[in-house]
Amino acid sequence: MADYIYPVARLIECFRRLPGVGSKSAARMAFGVLEMSPEDAEEFRAAIKGVKEDVRRCSVCCDLCDSDKCAVCSDPGRDQSVICVVEDSRTVSALERSHEFHGTYHVLGGVISPMNGITPDRLNVKELITRLNGTVNEVIIATNPNIEGETTAVYLSKLIRPLGVKVTRLAYGVPVGADLEFADSETLARALEGRREF
Amino acid sequence: MADYIYPVARLIECFRRLPGVGSKSAARMAFGVLEMSPEDAEEFRAAIKGVKEDVRRCSVCCDLCDSDKCAVCSDPGRDQSVICVVEDSRTVSALERSHEFHGTYHVLGGVISPMNGITPDRLNVKELITRLNGTVNEVIIATNPNIEGETTAVYLSKLIRPLGVKVTRLAYGVPVGADLEFADSETLARALEGRREF
């Protein structure tokens, strides 16, 4: 980046620190900022400040929110007896978009990953257990279908089942709209195993 | 984006305004900012302010710079008698990385595009003509090899040749490392036309 003038090189470096951004897209975005109106650039700066200062964690489910309790936890229409446990806020958004789930969530803030030094005490597990005070009937574990997500799911189910709460997890299978020809064998095996009658 | 809380949705919207950014990568980057240290977020804000306040145009070649004259124009080792005309600053950076060119540049700030209302008077053409004051022997036109770049190249060559200055342009041909099998026919035709003896 030595061939860009300092202010541009500095902004490119900031973009590069974001997840999934390489040097070419960082440069493209930095030039985008350069060509933006001063008002848009000021709005961008204010928005960065906004997420750092105004975003907190919901005191119940640990999801991101801008007040004490998130919109789902404060909604009297949501079924408080079912908790869907997810890794992060983005999974909450994805599940909300499906309009299928009417219970509440619990955001772990990650998954157990000894390789990266993430042990259960660094996740919002204690907060989840506190919520299982007799009014909760079911905990749906919706961690990602990979090794770390599975490890976390097994850990949580062993922790929660003795408390007399039903523990379930999302169904494995072929994704809707997928081409079976290109499905991996593990997914196909799980889809066969979990087959249902018409 | 209605399912994200306001501060996050607002930052996603800012990222989406950047060139080449879709809603998924905008969300990924916004969450990246959320997880950044407060110092990195402050640096990001300062860098945005920096490009808007400290970046100017070189008074000679119209390239981006942070003082009155850019590094190339102030370098006495560069050949002032050759000017390479490019569309934007990114092309200057690309050519500098090739370490092949020792003349100076002239940044047009775009290409002629009647469809988008960009006529020659909206480009830095007047500034280029002003530079052709007898000390310049050659103008190399390095606009992009597409219709608008070609139109601009033809326009400039018609304007400059009567002034007694040699006008050249970059060679067309197959890119180094490319697979001929996948080269488009127009490129192959130009590569054949411009073939050189071993």
Side-chain angles (χ1 to χ4, degrees):
Chain A
M1 293 299 131
D3 46 344
Y4 288 111
I5 52 170
Y6 171 72
V8 175
R10 179 188 185 192
L11 184 57
I12 291 175
E13 183 52 36
C14 286
F15 275 112
R16 282 203 58 181
R17 284 192 208 131
L18 296 172
V21 177
S23 56
K24 284 198 178 176
S25 44
R28 193 185 57 231
M29 290 190 283
F31 278 96
V33 172
L34 204 59
E35 281 155 26
M36 228 174 222
S37 73
E39 295 73 34
D40 281 355
E42 211 32 69
E43 163 67 10
F44 198 174
R45 297 185 66 229
I48 293 174
K49 192 173 181 182
V51 295
K52 301 311 283 186
E53 292 183 357
D54 305 334
V55 175
R56 312 192 246 163
R57 295 276 164 190
C58 170
S59 58
V60 178
C61 72
C62 306
D63 191 11
L64 299 175
C65 70
D66 46 5
S67 54
D68 177 57
K69 242 172 153 183
C70 75
V72 171
C73 288
S74 1
D75 182 350
R78 306 288 297 223
D79 183 356
Q80 309 280 334
S81 73
V82 182
I83 297 177
C84 179
V85 178
V86 296
E87 294 180 20
D88 53 35
S89 288
R90 272 167 288 184
T91 312
V92 173
S93 301
L95 285 164
E96 285 295 284
R97 276 195 294 272
S98 78
H99 300 291
E100 230 1 90
F101 182 64
H102 308 292
T104 60
Y105 295 96
H106 193 84
V107 176
L108 288 176
V111 274
I112 299 172
S113 172
M115 294 265 287
N116 300 311
I118 302 177
T119 47
D121 58 291
R122 294 196 52 188
L123 304 174
N124 303 320
V125 173
K126 202 169 77 246
E127 290 83 350
L128 172 61
I129 302 302
T130 313
R131 293 176 69 185
L132 308 178
N133 50 10
T135 58
V136 174
N137 302 322
E138 181 179 359
V139 170
I140 304 169
I141 300 181
T143 50
N144 282 320
N146 53 33
I147 293 179
E148 292 172 346
E150 280 297 278
T151 308
T152 309
V154 170
Y155 172 85
L156 289 176
S157 73
K158 282 186 179 161
L159 202 66
I160 298 167
R161 242 187 326 230
L163 304 174
V165 177
K166 184 161 94 174
V167 182
T168 56
R169 70 170 170 198
L170 294 189
Y172 278 115
V174 285
V176 177
D179 196 328
L180 288 185
E181 185 186 351
F182 302 116
D184 63 291
S185 52
E186 183 66 14
T187 299
L188 283 178
R190 298 294 192 105
L192 273 170
E193 188 190 317
R195 68 191 181 277
R196 296 171 66 171
E197 214 166 327
F198 265 102
Chain B
M1 294 298 129
D3 45 347
Y4 289 110
I5 53 171
Y6 172 71
V8 175
R10 179 189 183 190
L11 184 57
I12 292 175
E13 184 51 36
C14 285
F15 275 112
R16 282 203 59 178
R17 281 190 210 132
L18 296 172
V21 178
S23 56
K24 282 197 180 178
S25 45
R28 195 185 57 233
M29 291 191 281
F31 278 96
V33 172
L34 204 59
E35 280 155 26
M36 228 174 222
S37 72
E39 294 73 34
D40 282 354
E42 211 31 69
E43 163 66 11
F44 198 174
R45 297 184 66 228
I48 293 174
K49 192 174 180 181
V51 295
K52 299 312 282 185
E53 291 183 357
D54 305 335
V55 175
R56 312 192 245 164
R57 294 277 164 189
C58 170
S59 59
V60 179
C61 72
C62 307
D63 191 11
L64 298 176
C65 69
D66 46 6
S67 53
D68 178 55
K69 242 172 151 181
C70 75
V72 171
C73 289
S74 1
D75 182 351
R78 306 288 297 225
D79 183 355
Q80 310 280 334
S81 73
V82 182
I83 297 177
C84 179
V85 178
V86 296
E87 294 180 20
D88 54 35
S89 288
R90 272 167 287 185
T91 312
V92 173
S93 302
L95 285 164
E96 284 294 285
R97 277 195 293 271
S98 78
H99 300 291
E100 228 4 89
F101 182 65
H102 308 292
T104 59
Y105 296 96
H106 193 84
V107 177
L108 289 177
V111 274
I112 298 171
S113 173
M115 292 265 286
N116 300 308
I118 302 177
T119 47
D121 58 290
R122 295 196 52 187
L123 304 175
N124 303 320
V125 173
K126 204 172 73 243
E127 291 82 349
L128 173 62
I129 301 303
T130 312
R131 292 176 69 186
L132 307 178
N133 50 9
T135 59
V136 175
N137 302 322
E138 182 180 358
V139 170
I140 304 169
I141 300 180
T143 48
N144 282 319
N146 52 35
I147 291 178
E148 293 173 346
E150 280 298 277
T151 308
T152 309
V154 170
Y155 172 85
L156 289 176
S157 73
K158 282 188 180 161
L159 202 66
I160 297 168
R161 242 186 329 228
L163 305 174
V165 178
K166 185 163 92 173
V167 182
T168 57
R169 70 170 170 196
L170 294 189
Y172 278 115
V174 285
V176 177
D179 197 327
L180 289 185
E181 185 185 353
F182 302 116
D184 63 291
S185 52
E186 183 65 16
T187 298
L188 283 177
R190 298 293 191 107
L192 272 169
E193 187 188 318
R195 70 190 180 277
R196 297 173 63 171
E197 214 168 326
F198 265 104

